[in-house]
Amino acid sequence: MNKNISEIVRPNILEMEGYSSARDAYEGTQGTFLDANENPYGSLNRYPDPYQQLLKQKLSEIKSVATENIFVGNGSDEVIDLLMRIFCRPSKDKVIGFTPSYGMYQVSASIQDVEYISIALNAQFQIDVERVKPHLTDDSIKIIYVCSPNNPTGNLINVKDIEWLLEQFNSIIVIDEAYIDFANMSSWLSKIKKYKNLVILQTLSKAWGLAALRIGMAYTNTEIIALLNKVKSPYNISSLNQKVALEALQNKKAKDIQVHTIKKERSRLRDELSKIDSITKIHSSETNFLLIEIDNAEDVYRNLISQNIITRNQSNKIENGIRISIGTAEENNRLLKALKENNSQRYSTSKFDCSATNDLINRH
Ligand SMILES: *Cc1c(COP(=O)(O)O)cnc(C)c1O
C-alpha cells in the first residue's frame, strides 16, 4: 500500500550528493587534527559531532529506539522544515494539516511554496475522516501532519483515526508528539517499525524544560533519517547544546517529577477555573496548557497583559479561546486572582451599568 520512500522524495534531493564535512571524511576522535581549518587554540575551537552520537545513545536508552532511527534537529521546527524541503516540490506538491493546530506546518509550507490543505477538526477536535478521504488519491499530497496531543486544543487525536490514516495514506505521516510526556497515553514510537512512512516528532522544549536549547527529535526509518542527514546543515547542533542536553537526559527523574507537578497543577487550575462564571468552557488537556473559552476573551487577554500576565489569545482560531500554559503554583495563583477579579468586576459593572459592558464588547 505505502509507496517506497524513494518515490515520495523530491527527485533532486534523491539524486544530489550531500556535503561531506571534515568529520564525515574522518570519523576518529583522537589524533592531530589538521583537516577542518579550525583554530588549534581554545576549548570551543573544534566543530561538534555532526551526528550527535552520544546524545542519540542516551535518547536510544530512554526511548528504546535504535540510534539509527533517531535524528536530532535544532528544535522540532528544523525537522518540520527539513521534511518539507525533502518531500515537497515548490508550487507542485501539497501537504495536509488540521485546524486548529500548530502554526509552523503552514508557515513551513508557505516558505517552500507548497499548498497547505487545511482540514477542520470536528467539534470534538478530532479528525473528520470523511473530509480526508477525497484527498487520499491525490498523489501530489506528500505529507499529513497530525499533532497529538494537539496544540492549541490540548486533546489526543483518536488512535483509530491515526491508524486509519497510516493504513490509507501512502505518503508521509508526521505525528508531532511535543506534549506526549503530559499525556495519558503512550507514544506512537513503537509503530515506526511497522509503518515506513511514519515520522514521530518529539522535543526537549516542553516536558524536559529545555526550550532554550533548541533540541527536537525525529524518530523514523533509516531511509528518511539518511535524507534528513543529507539535507541538514552539517553541524546543526552546537557542542554546548549537545553537552547540556546529554546532562539533562541523565536526570530523567527530575523531568518526571516536574511533569508530575505540572499535571497536578493542571488539575488544580482546572478546578479553580471552573468556579469562574465568565469561563464557559475548559477543554480537557493532555498537555501542559489549558484551553479555555471565556466571555470577551479579547478584553480578558488585554486585561491580563495590563497586569503583566501573558497568556495566548486564540480567539482567531477558537471563538473566545485563550490558551494558558501551566506555570508554578504561585504563577497560577496570580492568574486565578486576576481572572476572579476580572470576573467580579464584569458582573458588578453589568449589574449597575450595562452600557459600560457593551462598550467593552464593542471596542474590538
Ligand atoms: C512547542 C511545540 C513544538 C516544539 O518545537 P521546538 O522547535 O522543538 O521547540 C513542536 N510542536 C508543537 C505542536 C509544539 O507545540
Side-chain angles (χ1 to χ4, degrees):
M1 180 76 204
N2 286 336
K3 289 183 194 158
N4 291 323
I5 300 301
S6 59
E7 294 174 77
I8 311 169
V9 66
R10 285 167 66 191
N12 65 307
I13 299 288
L14 195 63
E15 282 154 26
M16 69 172 251
E17 205 169 320
Y19 176 71
S20 174
S21 71
R23 290 288 176 276
D24 283 318
Y26 182 81
E27 290 178 10
T29 53
Q30 301 301 316
T32 303
F33 284 96
L34 303 173
D35 60 346
N37 298 346
E38 295 152 334
N39 181 325
Y41 307 109
S43 58
L44 290 171
N45 57 325
R46 299 293 174 189
Y47 280 105
D49 174 1
Y51 302 109
Q52 308 95 23
Q53 292 303 336
L54 293 176
L55 192 51
K56 285 179 186 169
Q57 277 162 24
K58 192 66 206 172
L59 286 165
S60 161
E61 272 172 43
I62 294 174
K63 297 288 173 181
S64 308
V65 174
T67 53
E68 60 180 20
N69 295 114
I70 307 176
F71 176 84
V72 179
N74 186 27
S76 317
D77 290 340
E78 183 190 11
V79 188
I80 292 167
D81 175 66
L82 288 173
L83 291 170
M84 194 69 74
R85 289 193 283 141
I86 288 167
F87 293 107
C88 302
R89 293 167 300 173
S91 74
K92 286 193 178 135
D93 291 327
K94 304 170 197 161
V95 298
I96 288 180
F98 298 96
T99 34
S101 192
Y102 188 45
M104 274 312 290
Y105 316 134
Q106 182 156 19
V107 169
S108 168
S110 302
I111 293 169
Q112 181 73 352
D113 195 13
V114 160
E115 186 183 330
Y116 187 82
I117 301 171
S118 176
I119 299 182
L121 293 170
N122 69 18
Q124 287 74 46
F125 298 133
Q126 292 296 333
I127 293 174
D128 186 340
V129 168
E130 291 307 316
R131 289 194 191 192
V132 181
K133 273 183 189 164
H135 297 287
L136 291 176
T137 50
D138 183 345
D139 258 358
S140 63
I141 297 173
K142 296 301 172 73
I143 306 176
I144 298 183
Y145 291 93
V146 180
C147 187
S148 182
N150 189 36
N151 177 8
T153 60
N155 60 295
L156 285 159
I157 302 298
N158 289 336
V159 169
K160 68 169 181 16
D161 296 335
I162 295 182
E163 257 163 13
W164 178 82
L165 278 179
L166 286 166
E167 293 291 342
Q168 298 302 317
F169 183 61
N170 53 24
S171 291
I172 306 297
I173 307 241
V174 175
I175 305 181
D176 187 340
E177 293 189 330
Y179 299 97
I180 193 67
D181 289 284
F182 301 103
N184 196 11
M185 185 193 148
S186 55
S187 163
W188 284 86
L189 263 182
S190 59
K191 301 288 184 189
I192 61 171
K193 284 272 176 284
K194 179 166 179 200
Y195 298 104
K196 294 294 172 208
N197 59 337
L198 173 60
V199 182
I200 306 286
L201 298 185
Q202 293 186 358
T203 179
L204 299 189
S205 296
K206 307 285 158 63
W208 287 91
L210 295 170
L213 277 195
R214 314 304 306 124
I215 303 271
M217 291 77 68
Y219 300 96
T220 185
N221 73 80
T222 51
E223 222 177 325
I224 296 180
I225 296 284
L227 290 163
L228 288 163
N229 283 332
K230 195 177 187 181
V231 175
K232 82 181 180 82
S233 66
Y235 304 106
N236 60 327
I237 311 291
S238 80
S239 306
L240 295 174
N241 289 357
Q242 292 188 43
K243 182 168 173 282
V244 177
L246 187 60
E247 282 164 13
L249 290 171
Q250 311 288 359
N251 197 354
K252 182 171 175 294
K253 194 147 180 232
K255 187 266 295 181
D256 290 339
I257 291 169
Q258 285 178 6
V259 166
H260 180 74
T261 309
I262 291 168
K263 283 163 77 175
K264 257 181 27 194
E265 271 302 296
R266 176 177 79 194
S267 129
R268 183 182 74 93
L269 189 59
R270 165 185 300 283
D271 291 346
E272 290 299 319
L273 289 170
S274 68
K275 297 174 189 162
I276 301 174
D277 331 301
S278 57
I279 296 176
T280 51
K281 182 147 194 173
I282 307 168
H283 291 272
S284 67
S285 172
E286 303 276 344
T287 63
N288 66 336
F289 59 82
L290 286 174
L291 175 68
I292 64 165
E293 290 171 35
I294 185 163
D295 296 342
N296 304 321
E298 196 75 46
D299 291 321
V300 173
Y301 168 72
R302 278 162 215 271
N303 179 281
L304 287 173
I305 286 189
S306 73
Q307 300 181 61
N308 246 330
I309 299 170
I310 328 300
T311 58
R312 193 80 188 254
N313 184 1
Q314 298 286 339
S315 29
N316 59 341
K317 294 180 182 170
I318 295 138
E319 203 183 343
N320 279 327
I322 290 184
R323 194 189 70 193
I324 302 165
S325 307
I326 311 298
T328 63
E330 195 202 2
E331 290 171 330
N332 301 334
N333 288 341
R334 217 175 294 153
L335 169 91
L336 284 166
K337 183 163 173 280
L339 283 176
K340 281 174 184 169
E341 276 167 16
N342 185 284
N343 183 60
S344 56
Q345 270 162 22
R346 188 183 72 108
Y347 277 92
S348 58
T349 320
S350 62
K351 212 183 285 171
F352 300 114
D353 180 5
C354 287
S355 65
T357 317
N358 288 340
D359 275 355
L360 271 174
I361 296 167
N362 293 333
R363 201 142 40 90
H364 300 286

